[in-house]
Amino acid sequence: MIAALRTPEGEAALARAGELAGGDPLAAAAALRASGHPPHLAAAALTQAELRVRAVPKFGADAARMFFTRDGLQQATRGPVAARRAARLFSSGVRRTADLCCGIGADAISFARAGLRVHAFDLDPGTVAVARANVEVLGLSDLVTVSCADVAAVDPTGFDAVFCDPARRGGGRRVFDPAAYSPGWDLLAALPGRVPRSVLKLGPGIDHALVPDGTEAEWVSVDGEVVEAALWHGPLADVARRATVIRAGEASQLTGSGSRVGVAGPVRDVLYDPDGAVVRAHLVAELADQLNATLLDPSVASRSRSGARRWCPSNSGATCG
Ligand SMILES: C[S@@+](CC[C@H](N)C(=O)[O-])C[C@H]1O[C@@H](n2cnc3c(N)ncnc32)[C@H](O)[C@@H]1O
């Protein structure tokens, strides 16, 4: 269907669907058919126009030129998160990376824009067609190759780095158990042994026990929502734990061991609710140090989400009741 939308007739249908997007869907379909577009093309153009509107928060102005599948958009990395990861890989000296499980290509696009050459792979032919179209419309074909393959059969050795963002959905639902990711945890956990500069993008609920010693685990939030955990292996690991908090496009970071127990103190006049990325990264004690604050309950601050959320700056000069 992507091929049909990229013909002159498909582009005309897409342009008209873009004008009609946001209105009554039945009226839009009737208007498109009345303009002479066959029903299947009209339906595809309207779906694409709707997805482009939905994609704006993740892709900004690029959304108007890109192609999407519903699942692909849902699973795609947000533009600013992908751009930060790509810049970090580039500044670590990586020039050629494999993108295993590329989806519609959000990460591959950011890698290329950061200056990396990318070989991207995905199992699903429809998704591969969308990723290829996106690479082309964004003018990145010289830097990105997209292949349809099961990554279990891909040899990632020979790349400077490998990035893998496994599917975390099954049967239309989000999957939380890494064993149920596709590809499975065994393949993911073995990647750093094959390519030392490996980066795995995982769900934010990943268990710290699954993070190998010497690997950096980074939790990322965007405007208050924790969107992913990323494991940076081998020479890419800088610290044990990192929280990256992106708000209104501005990023701030906190790093540490993730195992410190903070200092407890009485409740005073301000309760501070740390960002979820800081909580997930077990960096509440480090944040308390930075703000000269104390924790309500140090025993839970480095372990559970609920208990780590409320604490009090110690320089507030007043005691909370
Ligand atoms: C989370 S999405 C990737 C999103 C992508 N990083 C982006 O930002 O656009 C996961 C993708 O993995 C693909 N996938 C799942 N199992 C796979 C396998 N064994 N080999 C290759 N691709 C696979 C799915 O088809 C899906 O497109």
Side-chain angles (χ1 to χ4, degrees):
M1 188 42 70
I2 293 302
L5 286 173
R6 300 193 70 205
T7 61
E9 191 190 1
E11 283 177 4
L14 205 40
R16 182 75 182 114
E19 292 164 6
L20 296 165
D24 173 15
L26 290 178
L32 267 180
R33 284 200 299 273
S35 323
H37 298 297
H40 72 281
L41 200 57
L46 283 168
T47 300
Q48 211 48 241
E50 178 217 323
L51 292 175
R52 283 179 171 180
V53 171
R54 285 193 192 192
V56 170
K58 277 191 175 179
F59 294 97
D62 286 337
R65 289 188 290 160
M66 291 173 69
F67 293 90
F68 302 98
T69 61
R70 233 169 259 288
D71 270 3
L73 174 57
Q74 210 159 34
Q75 298 184 68
T77 306
R78 284 165 175 74
V81 178
R84 291 187 62 79
R85 177 165 30 245
R88 181 169 168 187
L89 278 181
F90 187 85
S91 67
S92 307
V94 173
R95 294 293 178 267
R96 195 168 163 264
T97 188
D99 179 357
L100 308 184
C101 303
C102 67
I104 58 152
D107 285 288
I109 288 163
S110 287
F111 291 144
R113 283 184 166 161
L116 276 67
R117 290 193 172 278
V118 188
H119 196 153
F121 301 87
D122 202 283
L123 188 61
D124 177 58
T127 304
V128 166
V130 173
R132 282 191 183 131
N134 287 334
V135 165
E136 280 171 34
V137 296
L138 297 176
L140 298 167
S141 302
D142 287 353
L143 290 169
V144 185
T145 304
V146 186
S147 298
C148 190
D150 183 336
V151 299
V154 170
D155 178 6
T157 59
F159 289 94
D160 296 343
V162 64
F163 170 70
C164 186
D165 178 7
R168 289 181 272 129
R169 300 189 77 80
R173 291 179 174 202
R174 198 167 285 184
V175 161
F176 295 98
D177 178 4
Y181 287 177
S182 176
W185 185 249
D186 288 352
L187 184 144
L188 299 173
L191 276 177
R194 305 174 73 191
V195 182
R197 287 179 170 81
S198 285
V199 185
L200 303 181
K201 176 184 157 188
L202 307 170
I206 190 80
D207 189 340
H208 282 244
L210 288 177
V211 182
D213 287 346
T215 292
E216 174 183 326
E218 176 191 26
W219 275 262
V220 183
S221 71
V222 178
D223 296 327
E225 182 189 354
V226 188
V227 293
E228 68 172 54
L231 302 190
W232 298 79
H233 292 91
L236 297 173
D238 279 343
V239 289
R241 299 290 182 270
R242 182 188 304 268
T244 298
V245 176
I246 303 174
R247 283 186 189 266
E250 294 292 316
S252 56
Q253 297 200 324
L254 192 64
T255 57
S257 67
S259 55
R260 271 197 46 214
V261 175
V263 177
V267 175
R268 274 154 295 136
D269 67 347
V270 177
L271 287 178
Y272 189 98
D273 189 4
D275 186 276
V278 173
V279 177
R280 296 265 192 192
H282 294 180
L283 294 173
V284 177
E286 283 81 352
L287 182 63
D289 285 354
Q290 212 177 65
L291 296 175
N292 192 20
T294 52
L295 280 73
L296 289 183
D297 183 348
S299 67
V300 290
S302 63
R303 288 183 199 90
S304 85
R305 184 175 165 74
S306 56
R309 289 170 65 84
R310 294 169 29 232
W311 50 283
C312 187
S314 62
N315 60 357
S316 60
T319 303
C320 303

